[in-house]
Amino acid sequence: MQITYVILNGVQIPEHEAQLSINDLAIVRGYGIFDYFKTVQGTPLFLEDNLDRFYNSARLMDLPVNYSRTEIKSMIEQLMLANNMPDSGIKILLTGGYSPDGYSIAEPNLIISQHPITRDDLAENKGIKLLPFEYHRPFSQVKSIDYVMGIQALKKAKEAGANDVVYVQNGLLSECPRANFFLVSDDGTLLTAGDDVLQGITRMKILEVAKEHFKIEVRDISLEDLKNASEAFISSTTKNITPVTEVLGHKEFGAGAGTVTKQLQVLLNQLMYELETSE
Amino acid sequence: MQITYVILNGVQIPEHEAQLSINDLAIVRGYGIFDYFKTVQGTPLFLEDNLDRFYNSARLMDLPVNYSRTEIKSMIEQLMLANNMPDSGIKILLTGGYSPDGYSIAEPNLIISQHPITRDDLAENKGIKLLPFEYHRPFSQVKSIDYVMGIQALKKAKEAGANDVVYVQNGLLSECPRANFFLVSDDGTLLTAGDDVLQGITRMKILEVAKEHFKIEVRDISLEDLKNASEAFISSTTKNITPVTEVLGHKEFGAGAGTVTKQLQVLLNQLMYELETSE
């Protein structure tokens, strides 16, 4: 069996040996941030954008990053060489560290790990159902490790026959626990929530590729918008663009991806999977 | 130097060797629960109440506890013998475990650890200042490890010259990040929030000892109640009854503990520290 390696505080070790002391603030207080990007045929995708967000999350949560951008990139390169896993997801996780009093932020631990990525082609074609769920992520711009609500919400979604939830508060749809949420209105305008959601890198890339083809509105999304929409989809690093076929209790869209969603899937796939051959 | 031991999944090991794999759901998703009680002169205080709450938190968060009450109590006894730390705080922490997909709940890891406890007599006499902070804890009955907001809020409190925050939402005061909140109204009635806060064991004991001496109302506390109150205090396992001298921007109480607060401190101390000699 091939050993998978991780890099823990700059040191490459086998993943099964990588451990943190039980005093880490992630374990005692759920305190940490991370970022996640994929590699396609051995090339990290949108790494600079992910590193921007990683450093921003750390700053917003007062976690010092004791490694420069160059150092982190070189660790990522080292890890990719060691693991030889060309198509993968790479996670950079920064915890609150070994806190002397079990509450204040200490010297963070940095873990870079690599995982096989499985693209869910079926969902990308067929689509998923979402259950509206009353919640709004605090520190919405931070990619925090805090997924307590997301994990509990997924359970409710499954019980209701949905694949996941979309968070709603005060009649506004914000995001899914691990994905951004988009609507396509009847006149073909692309809608997605603005600053008060996770600034998804896939979301950003969709907005980039879409702007030459569609009208775009980045603003609060209401239940009224949902009612009047003709297509919906979610976006994330692992889910790419996955159509939403139904928001339970509110709106049924057709099966599979609508016209605009399909076109965006093509544009995004060109950007992501043909980067290497596009020159 | 004396070695401090912990019990990790039933096995006693030195604390500095106790580690969890980086795949634990506490580290990757901030998912776990705990409980905390103190020992006074070698005797655990209110252990049964804490175990009730521990099993309840685990159940509410869908974490299976693979140890019976008797087994956990026997581990606690073993730990107390090993550490010889008569006055201490003991934490029972249950994490989400090593999740195969990094999201679903797995076989939890159970960590029992013991820590020296330092009673803050100064604060118990002098009192503390609280900053109102807009938030409401989700899963309020669960003693979750999720303290992201509490840690960030404490920073805001310090910046404002307060010692900690009290959470407020929709004009209702619920609790502090690590303590319950009480008011004493002008007519000597004791007020504290009801079901939608952490069911503090110290809070419960205060209500028990208070009921023969004071009128008690367990209900939502409004800013209006705060305005009309003559005393305020917080309660927790480590802070016991600590008077609140000011809620910033809303109310200044006198310095130190008021008459009712003092009387409750005496009653609680009798219950906690004279248990052994009360027969």
Side-chain angles (χ1 to χ4, degrees), chain B residues 227-239:
Chain B
K227 210 178 96 184
N228 297 328
S230 55
E231 299 177 33
F233 61 86
I234 64 169
S235 70
S236 83
T237 297
T238 48
K239 296 183 189 80

Side-chain angles (χ1 to χ4, degrees), chain B residues 16-276:
Chain B
H16 63 268
E17 289 174 15
Q19 299 187 311
L20 292 183
S21 153
I22 56 163
N23 296 324
D24 192 280
L25 219 51
I27 297 170
V28 293
R29 303 293 179 184
Y31 203 93
I33 60 111
F34 72 106
D35 221 291
Y36 183 81
F37 59 92
K38 63 187 166 201
T39 66
V40 176
Q41 294 174 41
T43 302
L45 222 59
F46 315 133
L47 177 57
E48 298 296 338
D49 299 307
N50 280 279
L51 287 175
D52 286 346
R53 189 174 60 180
F54 173 76
Y55 279 98
N56 191 49
S57 293
R59 185 182 56 79
L60 290 171
M61 290 287 103
D62 303 304
L63 292 170
V65 184
N66 296 321
Y67 300 93
S68 71
R69 227 173 149 97
T70 310
E71 285 169 328
I72 290 184
K73 285 202 275 193
S74 127
M75 289 184 226
I76 291 167
E77 266 179 48
Q78 183 188 336
L79 189 67
M80 288 174 63
L81 273 173
N83 285 336
N84 188 26
M85 199 189 290
D87 294 296
S88 72
I90 292 184
K91 184 185 268 200
I92 316 174
L93 193 150
L94 191 71
T95 71
Y98 304 139
S99 177
D101 63 357
Y103 207 69
S104 37
I105 292 162
E107 174 101 354
N109 288 303
L110 180 78
I111 306 159
I112 307 181
S113 57
Q114 192 171 20
H115 315 268
I117 207 165
T118 43
R119 201 176 150 189
D120 191 348
D121 291 310
L122 186 66
E124 281 180 46
N125 287 318
K126 213 179 135 207
I128 57 164
K129 292 180 184 185
L130 296 177
L131 174 75
F133 189 90
E134 185 77 18
Y135 186 60
H136 186 273
R137 283 178 59 242
F139 310 108
S140 53
Q141 297 230 352
V142 174
K143 201 161 171 70
S144 161
I145 62 166
D146 178 6
Y147 280 79
V148 177
M149 191 59 85
I151 288 171
Q152 281 293 312
L154 183 59
K155 182 183 151 202
K156 302 284 178 204
K158 303 264 170 181
E159 285 167 5
N163 302 85
D164 209 333
V165 301
V166 54
Y167 292 139
V168 188
Q169 198 168 68
N170 301 323
L172 299 178
L173 297 135
S174 55
E175 60 190 323
C176 303
R178 293 178 288 173
N180 287 112
F181 181 77
F182 285 79
L183 287 181
V184 181
S185 71
D186 267 337
D187 69 351
T189 303
L190 194 60
L191 294 182
T192 195
D195 291 339
D196 202 6
V197 294
L198 187 78
Q199 303 297 292
I201 306 301
T202 310
R203 169 183 173 279
M204 184 205 298
K205 297 302 166 185
I206 291 168
L207 293 175
E208 275 173 27
V209 297
K211 70 181 176 212
E212 284 176 32
H213 307 270
F214 304 98
K215 205 181 137 210
I216 294 172
E217 291 182 23
V218 176
R219 60 162 172 86
D220 286 349
I221 297 184
S222 67
L223 290 169
E224 189 68 19
D225 291 323
L226 175 61
K227 210 178 96 184
N228 297 328
S230 55
E231 299 177 33
F233 61 86
I234 64 169
S235 70
S236 83
T237 297
T238 48
K239 296 183 189 80
N240 296 322
I241 290 175
T242 294
V244 174
T245 59
E246 185 177 351
V247 176
L248 267 62
H250 289 272
K251 179 84 182 185
E252 286 187 48
F253 299 97
T259 321
V260 173
T261 304
K262 263 187 196 145
Q263 199 177 337
L264 288 169
Q265 284 178 325
V266 170
L267 289 166
L268 182 68
N269 284 342
Q270 278 171 358
L271 185 70
M272 290 192 309
Y273 299 109
E274 293 163 29
L275 272 178
E276 292 303 273

